[in-house]
Amino acid sequence: MAALTIRDVPDDTLATLKARAAQAGKSLQAYALDVLVGEASRPTLAEVAARAEAEASASLSASDVLAAIDDARAGR
């Protein structure tokens, strides 16, 4: 795992994060790691849009669609 150092955190922001960490029963480091992991796990709007664009541009023929319907019906 890599290390991360954040400099010049405003005093009021640091105080808020320390208080939230204490309320969660965590160290500031553990709390900040949870916040960063949570943020990284959620896709950005641009990432969602790119995925939607890729899915929308997929080309399916009518026979592909009919075959999928037939497969779904056969699985009932």
Side-chain angles (χ1 to χ4, degrees), residues 16-59:
T16 299
L17 291 172
K18 284 181 177 180
R20 289 179 183 173
Q23 288 172 341
K26 298 179 180 183
S27 67
L28 178 58
Q29 180 176 335
Y31 182 79
L33 179 59
D34 286 349
V35 169
L36 291 171
V37 168
E39 179 63 26
S41 69
R42 288 186 298 276
T44 65
L45 185 55
E47 291 167 338
V48 171
R51 273 190 234 151
E53 177 66 29
E55 290 176 15
S57 65
S59 59

Side-chain angles (χ1 to χ4, degrees), residues 50-76:
R51 273 190 234 151
E53 177 66 29
E55 290 176 15
S57 65
S59 59
L60 295 174
S61 67
S63 61
D64 291 334
V65 173
L66 292 174
I69 291 171
D70 288 342
D71 289 346
R73 287 181 179 158
R76 285 190 206 170

